[in-house]
């Protein structure tokens, strides 16, 4: 039960139903993953007022459907039971009736008009992103999200934090499996937050069901969406537009906190991003860079280039024994900083990784995966960026 | 009536494989279309099972994410272009000449070519898996700019679509010409069987929409290789332009699949209700309205791209309008059954399954028509559930109904009624286990096209996967039923269905002779 409650609090409280549990109890007994899961039947409860209205209009439409079903399926099953040859029913020969045809055209029109009014009002409200209190730009990358708090100038990247061995089945899956990131988006409660979306490569979609927002992130264009969370908590979403192989592995986590906590977080985050976590002028030793590089590699490169740099040729070339990672240092640095001209799958990592991270991952690739034996210092990378 | 019309007096008929390579006979070509589509249905089905096997449990167990994406892509393309569309063209080939009293299709040689374009296209689609980098892992919608990143498999898929498009357009021209020019004397347009009407309308949809798809994939091809920037914002293009073009094809495509299914159902329900179709003229007008509206609602597939809200309002209202003619059709079918004298042989069972489940697919369409709700459900499993109710319980069940209904006419033998009924109930039950629960997954927010998912989605995914394997096995059972009927089925009576009133039942022997209606029947009285 503790697992259930944790998931409920992290997802903003999900409805649990016992529907079907008994029927499938036998299957469940054999399958350990079942114990941590839920039999959701409806929307994730929303913590925005607009989200609640969307759920309300969905309920309205569902009741209309129930009503129509009773009439249509009622007539259908009545005639299946009563007007069958096996009970001796003789066929009538009627095949038209103008009155009833007009009636069953007009009634749906009336129902649709009745639906259209609240739907229109709600659509206009959900698309209103004016008078927002703050703006965050969300940029889709293959495969992570980059965030920029436009008023404060704070920038950071948000990457899947679920360890690889949980995905591959080597470790037990945590409750927030695939829905955990290294850097969460933090916003204050009760404030209208405007999210600008765009993309660095292909189309992604930024969506958090608990906040009832979804907006495509389109390369070369900026779109926007707004939400106002009424309740403090952590809300999780995902990318909703197929964006390549790791599409299922770029979650979104929004933490709604009090105004004070938000200010504290913002100050800490600004201080952290202002002061680099490494010394730009220091000469780092091979062992230190390789150790750090392994972390960078596992967080950023492993999805395509695979464990041990084996790659998945030809789209994702091997780093082990590869021309670039065993060739000249300039070429190696260039492809990491600027991406590949030949293979569009290789992104430019210059804007994403720090000088130290790039130095570290190069050291890891050249000394651990391969044995070229050379390294490059963060200061040289800084110089290369300036060129 | 005369026995099977022997064609051996025609000295130039090749035998063996060459009979089928060179045939211009609408019945041979119809059979080839049907067998081809069934083979593709099994291939696409195996791909669906790879998807469902991976989704059985959270975590990556069976395939890599890239291969998973290739499976979702090819499953969609193969099922839409290789299975469902050719299946209904097969019905059109067999049935339209026999139902309007024509000796064959208007352009028999082009008919041969329309079919023989399909196998190369199918080979290109499946062969793309073997290309370096594999097939495109882009989804059947092939959105730019993800398509730019793919390997050579993507080009093979684009060429396959070009070929399939040519085949469809030629087939459609043939169907339109046949229907407009080759009806027996006395068969006016408003006396045509509804199946013929639905195909006439569908053929116009194909001619109007397939070139648009060809344009979209050709622009993708030139963006990939020839330096154009149709869909690249950095070069002045727009990725969303692709989606507009694709869905201008894609929405009519939904009805290209659904409308011939409506036609089959409109033949089967009156036959087994022993009562004429209710509201024939309104059925024709409703079908035509659906076809016209289908060109005016395409952007309801794209509510999250950030269109102006005014455009979203227009698409919401236009989409809601489709509910009206669709409702009319459902009401007409129920009214046809009302006070009939119904019996429930396998074709009728599948028609009832169609009616019930397609209506549920229509209901979820009503939910999705409401834009604010659609945005929540966009690209979730709710949409997957919705369109499988329309495509599988709609089009596929109608195709099963059609096969069981016309099989005696085609081969002169009966299928095993008991096995047919078992096939129906297995399909019905496993279909719902597979897809009904996907509504819940979508409401809970599970995205489409992901190989792995959060733990909250685990239960329903497992149920869905169990259903999918059951559904797949049920279709292998269908193959057994077919082979059994062909090899050792009982001889079909001249009139197996006492309620059937269309020409192939009233004016032709069972099985239908190789050449039928060499002189047209006179229906002027």
């Amino acid at each position: 039960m503790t697992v259930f409650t944790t998931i409920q609090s992290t997802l903003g409280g999900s409805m649990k139903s016992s529907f079907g549990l008994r029927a499938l109890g036998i299957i469940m007994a054999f399958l350990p993953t079942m114990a941590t899961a839920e039999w959701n039947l409806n929307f994730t409860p929303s913590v925005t007022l607009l989200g609640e209205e969307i759920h309300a209009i969905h309920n309205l439409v569902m009741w209309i459907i129930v009503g129509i079903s009773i009439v249509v399926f009622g007539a259908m099953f009545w005639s299946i039971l009563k007007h069958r040859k096996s009970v001796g029913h003789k066929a009538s020969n009627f095949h038209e009736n103008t009155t009833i045809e007009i009636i069953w055209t007009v009634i749906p029109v009336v129902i649709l008009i009745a639906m259209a009014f609240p739907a229109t009002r709600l659509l206009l409200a959900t698309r209103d992103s004016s008078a927002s209190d703050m703006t965050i730009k969300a940029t889709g990358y293959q495969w992570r999200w980059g965030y920029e708090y436009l008023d404060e100038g704070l920038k950071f990247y948000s990457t899947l934090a679920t360890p690889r061995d949980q995905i591959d089945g080597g470790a037990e899956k945590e409750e927030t499996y695939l829905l955990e990131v290294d850097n969460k988006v933090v916003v204050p409660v009760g404030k209208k937050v405007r999210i600008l979306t765009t993309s660095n490569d292909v189309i992604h979609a930024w969506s958090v069901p608990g906040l009832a927002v979804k907006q495509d992130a389109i390369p070369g264009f900026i779109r926007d969406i707004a939400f106002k969370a009424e309740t403090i908590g952590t809300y999780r979403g995902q990318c909703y537009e197929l964006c390549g192989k790791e599409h299922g592995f770029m979650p979104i986590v929004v933490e709604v906190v009090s105004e004070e906590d938000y200010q504290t977080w913002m100050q800490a985050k600004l201080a952290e991003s202002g002061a680099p976590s490494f010394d730009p002028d220091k000469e780092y030793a091979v062992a230190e860079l390789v150790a750090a590089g392994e972390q960078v590699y596992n967080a950023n490169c492993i999805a395509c280039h695979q464990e041990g740099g084996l790659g998945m040729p030809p789209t994702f070339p091997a780093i082990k024994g590869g021309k670039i990672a065993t060739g000249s240092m300039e070429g190696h640095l260039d492809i990491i900083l600027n991406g590949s001209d030949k293979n569009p799958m290789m992104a430019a990592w210059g804007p994403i990784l720090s000088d130290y991270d790039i130095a570290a991952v190069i050291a890891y690739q050249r000394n651990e995966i391969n044995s070229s034996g050379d390294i490059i210092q963060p200061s040289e990378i800084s110089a290369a960026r300036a060129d | 009536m005369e026995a099977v019309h022997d064609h051996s007096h025609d000295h130039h008929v090749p035998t063996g494989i060459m009979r089928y390579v060179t045939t211009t006979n609408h019945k041979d070509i119809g059979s080839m279309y049907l067998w081809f589509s069934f083979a593709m249905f099994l291939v696409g089905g195996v791909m669906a099972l790879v998807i469902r096997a991976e989704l059985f449990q959270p975590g990556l167990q069976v395939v890599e994410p890239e291969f998973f994406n290739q499976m979702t892509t090819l499953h969609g393309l193969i099922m839409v272009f290789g299975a469902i569309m050719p299946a209904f063209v097969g019905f059109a080939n067999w049935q339209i000449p026999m139902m309007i009293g024509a000796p064959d299709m208007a352009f028999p040689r082009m008919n041969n070519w329309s079919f023989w374009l399909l196998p190369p296209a199918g080979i290109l689609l499946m062969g793309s898996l073997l290309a370096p980098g594999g097939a495109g892992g882009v989804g059947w919608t092939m959105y730019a700019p993800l398509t730019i990143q793919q390997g050579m498999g993507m080009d093979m898929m684009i060429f396959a679509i070009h070929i399939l498009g040519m085949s469809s357009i030629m087939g459609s021209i043939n169907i339109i010409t046949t229907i407009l020019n080759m009806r027996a004397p006395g068969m006016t347009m408003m006396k045509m069987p509804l199946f013929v009407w639905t195909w006439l309308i569908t053929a116009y949809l194909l001619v109007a929409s397939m070139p648009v798809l060809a344009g979209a994939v050709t622009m993708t091809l030139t963006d990939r290789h020839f330096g154009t920037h149709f869909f690249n914002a950095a070069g002045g293009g727009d990725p969303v332009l692709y989606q507009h073009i694709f869905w201008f094809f894609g929405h009519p495509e939904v009805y290209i699949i659904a409308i011939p299914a409506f036609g089959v159902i409109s033949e089967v329900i009156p036959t087994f209700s022993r009562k004429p179709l209710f509201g024939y003229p309104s059925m024709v007008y409703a079908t035509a309205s659906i076809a016209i509206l289908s060109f005016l609602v395409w952007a309801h597939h794209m509510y999250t791209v950030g269109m102006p809200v005014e455009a979203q309002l227009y698409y919401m209202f236009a989409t809601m309008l489709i509910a009206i003619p669709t409702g009319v059709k459902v009401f007409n079918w129920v009214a046809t059954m009302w006070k009939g004298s119904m019996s429930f042989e396998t074709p009728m069972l599948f028609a009832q399954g169609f009616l019930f489940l397609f209506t549920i697919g229509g209901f979820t369409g009503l939910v999705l028509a409401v834009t604010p709700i659609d945005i929540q459900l966009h690209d979730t499993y709710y949409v997957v559930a919705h369109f499988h109710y329309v495509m599988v319980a709609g089009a596929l069940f109608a195709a099963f109904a059609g096969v069981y209904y016309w099989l005696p006419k085609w081969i002169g033998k009966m299928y095993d009624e008991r096995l047919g009924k078992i096939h129906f109930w297995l399909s019905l039950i496993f279909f719902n286990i597979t897809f009904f629960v996907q509504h819940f997954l979508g409401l809970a927010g599970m995205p489409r096209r992901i190989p792995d998912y959060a733990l909250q989605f685990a239960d329903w995914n497992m149920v869905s996967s169990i259903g999918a394997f059951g559904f797949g096995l049920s279709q292998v059972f269908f193959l057994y039923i077919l082979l059994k009927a062909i090899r050792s089925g009982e001889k079909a009576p001249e009139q197996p269905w006492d309620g059937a009133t269309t020409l192939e039942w009233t004016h032709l022997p069972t099985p239908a002779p190789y050449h039928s209606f060499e002189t047209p029947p006179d229906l002027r009285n």
Side-chain angles (χ1 to χ4, degrees):
Chain A
M1 274 323 284
T2 51
V3 175
F4 275 125
T5 31
T6 321
I7 291 183
Q8 280 177 356
S9 64
T10 52
L11 293 167
S14 307
M15 264 193 274
K16 186 164 75 74
S17 164
S18 63
F19 172 77
L21 271 177
R22 198 168 299 166
L24 289 149
I26 301 161
I27 299 166
M28 279 185 69
F30 290 102
L31 300 159
T33 57
M34 288 293 200
T36 57
E38 294 169 75
W39 300 90
N40 284 300
L41 295 177
N42 206 340
F43 279 119
T44 307
S46 176
V47 291
T48 70
L49 296 177
L50 285 172
E52 285 174 12
E53 287 191 46
I54 293 169
H55 298 178
I57 200 172
H58 177 255
N59 287 340
L60 170 72
V61 177
M62 289 305 288
W63 281 116
I64 291 172
I65 289 173
V66 168
I68 302 172
S69 300
I70 291 172
V71 176
V72 175
F73 293 146
M76 180 179 157
F77 285 110
W78 180 267
S79 69
I80 287 176
L81 289 175
K82 299 286 179 185
H83 306 150
R84 51 200 295 158
K85 197 182 172 190
S86 58
V87 297
H89 195 273
K90 292 279 179 285
S92 311
N93 202 36
F94 67 86
H95 53 86
E96 55 186 0
N97 183 329
T98 312
T99 315
I100 198 161
E101 290 182 63
I102 289 171
I103 290 172
W104 72 37
T105 310
V106 170
I107 290 177
V109 172
V110 173
I111 294 173
L112 288 171
I113 291 172
M115 275 170 57
F117 277 101
T120 303
R121 198 188 49 73
L122 186 55
L123 177 60
L124 292 172
T126 56
R127 287 299 304 275
D128 177 14
S129 57
S130 64
S132 59
D133 298 305
M134 59 184 285
T135 305
I136 303 171
K137 184 172 144 197
T139 307
Y141 294 83
Q142 285 172 316
W143 291 275
R144 60 179 44 69
W145 290 95
Y147 295 101
E148 184 175 357
Y149 286 66
L150 294 184
D151 304 320
E152 290 85 359
L154 173 68
K155 285 191 199 178
F156 59 85
Y157 291 91
S158 180
T159 308
L160 176 74
T162 301
R164 207 73 207 173
D165 53 359
Q166 288 189 18
I167 297 170
D168 296 333
E172 199 180 327
K173 295 172 176 53
E174 62 201 347
E175 296 100 72
T176 55
Y177 175 69
L178 295 187
L179 296 175
E180 197 63 83
V181 294
D182 51 0
N183 291 304
K184 294 169 185 166
V185 177
V186 177
V187 298
V189 67
K191 289 279 161 61
K192 186 167 179 180
V193 181
R194 182 169 174 237
I195 303 282
L196 303 180
T197 65
T198 187
S199 166
N200 186 55
D201 33 56
V202 300
I203 300 177
H204 304 267
W206 196 90
S207 173
V208 180
L211 302 172
V213 285
K214 185 179 287 157
Q215 178 60 54
D216 286 359
I218 300 163
F221 294 87
I222 291 182
R223 307 292 196 213
D224 73 343
I225 192 107
F227 65 85
K228 186 157 103 180
E230 307 288 342
T231 314
I232 288 174
T234 305
Y235 306 100
R236 294 169 200 275
Q238 286 176 262
C239 175
Y240 276 82
E241 184 63 62
L242 179 62
C243 56
K245 72 188 271 287
E246 301 291 297
H247 164 53
F249 305 92
M250 49 182 291
I252 297 155
V253 182
V254 176
E255 203 170 328
V256 178
V257 298
S258 68
E259 179 67 31
E260 293 146 48
D261 288 352
Y262 172 71
Q263 292 303 341
T264 314
W265 172 83
M266 178 56 76
Q267 293 316 317
K269 208 67 180 163
L270 283 171
E272 183 190 307
S273 66
S277 55
F278 63 98
D279 181 348
D281 300 320
K282 183 181 163 188
E283 285 281 315
Y284 285 89
V286 180
E288 191 183 343
L289 284 177
V290 168
E294 183 170 5
Q295 309 280 326
V296 178
Y297 185 88
N298 289 342
N300 298 290
C301 317
I302 202 165
C304 297
H305 290 295
Q306 303 290 299
E307 185 105 36
L310 296 176
M312 288 193 283
T315 316
F316 306 114
I319 287 173
K320 188 173 179 63
K323 267 187 289 190
I324 290 163
T326 57
S328 78
M329 183 61 85
E330 289 78 43
H332 196 173
L333 177 59
D334 178 60
I335 200 165
I336 291 178
L337 274 181
N338 304 315
S340 165
D341 295 334
K342 288 188 213 140
N343 184 350
M345 295 307 291
M346 178 63 192
W349 292 91
I352 298 174
L353 298 178
S354 69
D355 294 346
Y356 177 75
D357 286 345
I358 292 177
V361 83
I362 288 179
Y364 177 70
Q365 292 182 8
R366 295 179 88 88
N367 294 277
E368 182 75 28
I369 294 177
N370 293 302
S371 48
S372 312
D374 49 347
I375 57 166
I376 185 169
Q377 293 293 336
S379 55
E380 297 172 72
I381 289 167
S382 169
R385 279 185 202 268
D387 286 343
Chain B
M1 269 180 264
E2 61 177 340
V4 179
H5 191 97
D6 190 7
H7 59 274
S8 58
H9 65 271
D10 185 344
H11 297 293
H12 301 290
V13 172
T15 52
I17 185 80
M18 286 313 284
R19 165 180 165 189
Y20 289 98
V21 173
T22 60
T23 185
T24 55
N25 180 287
H26 72 103
K27 299 186 180 75
D28 281 350
I29 293 172
S31 301
M32 289 196 292
Y33 264 108
L34 288 164
W35 279 115
F36 175 82
S37 68
F38 191 68
M40 287 291 113
F41 171 63
L42 294 182
V43 171
V46 168
M47 290 172 172
L49 294 184
V50 172
I51 294 168
R52 285 313 325 171
E54 179 55 60
L55 294 175
F56 184 68
Q57 277 187 304
L60 293 177
Q61 293 92 13
V62 184
V63 291
E64 292 293 324
E66 253 202 319
F67 189 74
F68 181 90
N69 289 345
Q70 295 171 17
M71 286 291 108
T72 58
T73 307
L74 285 178
H75 165 72
L77 288 172
I78 286 177
M79 286 304 201
V80 169
F81 293 103
I84 299 181
M85 287 168 68
F88 284 107
V89 181
F91 282 109
N93 262 294
W94 257 104
Q95 291 307 127
I96 288 174
M98 294 202 295
M99 292 173 109
I100 63 172
D104 204 305
M105 299 295 283
F107 305 115
R109 287 195 172 81
M110 187 166 83
N111 204 13
N112 172 291
W113 183 226
S114 308
F115 172 76
W116 280 109
L117 282 172
L118 292 180
I123 290 166
L124 268 179
L125 272 182
M126 289 182 287
S128 65
L129 279 172
L130 307 173
V138 292
W140 85 281
T141 50
M142 302 176 285
Y143 278 8
L146 187 59
T147 42
I148 309 298
Q149 295 181 341
Q150 310 297 309
M152 205 177 96
M154 191 70 222
D155 303 315
M156 295 171 71
M157 288 159 57
I158 288 172
F159 288 131
I161 288 167
H162 282 144
I163 298 172
L164 291 162
M166 285 198 290
S167 163
S168 288
I169 291 168
M170 285 196 275
S172 304
I173 291 170
N174 216 340
I175 287 167
I176 292 170
T177 315
T178 308
I179 296 173
L180 293 184
N181 294 295
M182 296 174 66
R183 279 169 287 123
M187 179 167 283
T188 59
M189 294 291 276
M190 292 308 277
K191 283 184 183 164
M192 295 194 307
L194 209 79
F195 176 75
V196 179
W197 255 115
T198 55
W199 246 115
L200 180 65
I201 291 165
T202 304
Y204 274 106
L205 283 181
L206 276 165
V207 170
S209 69
M210 291 306 289
V212 180
L213 175 66
V217 295
T218 307
M219 287 153 96
T220 302
L221 190 73
T222 63
D223 269 14
R224 282 169 56 78
H225 296 296
F226 306 126
T228 56
H229 297 289
F230 291 114
F231 309 130
N232 178 2
D238 183 350
V240 178
L241 173 65
Y242 174 85
Q243 299 183 22
H244 281 291
I245 302 173
F246 179 84
W247 286 112
F248 190 84
F249 147 81
H251 199 75
E253 171 66 24
V254 174
Y255 294 100
I256 288 168
I257 288 171
I259 288 177
F262 297 163
V264 173
I265 297 305
S266 302
E267 301 301 332
V268 171
I269 288 182
T271 295
F272 294 91
S273 303
R274 294 168 180 81
K275 190 164 156 287
L277 182 68
F278 185 89
Y280 174 95
S282 70
M283 280 306 230
V284 173
Y285 300 139
T287 311
S289 322
I290 291 173
I292 292 164
L293 282 171
S294 77
F295 282 107
L296 304 173
V297 297
W298 75 90
H300 71 207
H301 298 269
M302 313 162 44
Y303 282 139
T304 63
V305 299
M307 273 183 285
V309 71
E310 296 82 357
Q312 291 185 329
L313 284 174
Y314 159 73
Y315 284 111
M316 175 166 79
F317 300 145
T319 303
M320 284 178 163
L321 280 182
I322 294 185
I324 296 164
T326 313
V328 165
K329 297 189 82 89
V330 171
F331 301 146
N332 279 342
W333 286 320
V334 175
T336 306
M337 290 155 53
W338 190 257
K339 291 196 183 296
S341 176
M342 281 191 279
S343 58
F344 296 91
E345 290 86 351
T346 310
M348 184 61 159
L349 286 177
F350 272 106
Q352 297 299 316
F354 167 95
L355 190 54
F356 186 61
L357 298 176
F358 182 82
T359 303
I360 292 176
F363 285 148
T364 52
L366 195 62
V367 172
L368 291 168
V370 181
T371 310
I373 306 176
D374 177 274
I375 290 171
Q376 300 307 306
L377 298 174
H378 179 79
D379 267 328
T380 69
Y381 261 80
Y382 193 90
V383 176
V384 176
H386 162 70
F387 70 71
H388 280 93
Y389 267 76
V390 181
M391 302 275 159
V392 180
L396 182 66
F397 275 29
F400 286 148
V403 168
Y404 285 113
Y405 179 50
W406 280 305
L407 196 69
K409 181 57 68 182
W410 295 342
I411 65 170
K413 293 178 185 175
M414 294 302 288
Y415 60 89
D416 187 324
E417 188 62 57
R418 195 176 58 92
L419 298 186
K421 284 180 173 158
I422 293 171
H423 174 221
F424 166 73
W425 286 108
L426 289 177
S427 296
L428 182 83
I429 291 163
F430 283 121
F431 170 82
N432 282 294
I433 293 175
T434 310
F435 292 110
F436 198 78
V437 300
Q438 292 184 359
H439 292 114
F440 305 141
L441 287 172
L443 285 164
M446 178 170 163
R448 292 171 72 173
R449 297 166 171 169
I450 56 172
D452 192 7
Y453 48 81
L455 300 186
Q456 55 173 325
F457 305 127
D459 322 84
W460 290 131
N461 267 300
M462 185 167 286
V463 173
S464 182
S465 290
I466 292 168
F469 277 87
F471 189 78
L473 287 175
S474 312
Q475 306 326 315
V476 178
F477 182 55
F478 174 59
L479 178 63
Y480 168 76
I481 297 172
L482 278 183
L483 295 177
K484 182 166 182 265
I486 292 167
R487 285 168 59 92
S488 58
E490 278 178 42
K491 187 176 175 344
E494 272 301 306
Q495 181 51 286
W497 321 121
D498 55 312
T501 56
T502 41
L503 288 189
E504 80 277 26
W505 298 111
T506 55
H507 284 65
L508 289 176
T510 300
Y514 192 65
H515 294 292
S516 46
F517 291 129
E518 284 169 290
T519 49
D522 193 337
L523 307 168
R524 274 172 292 199
N525 295 314

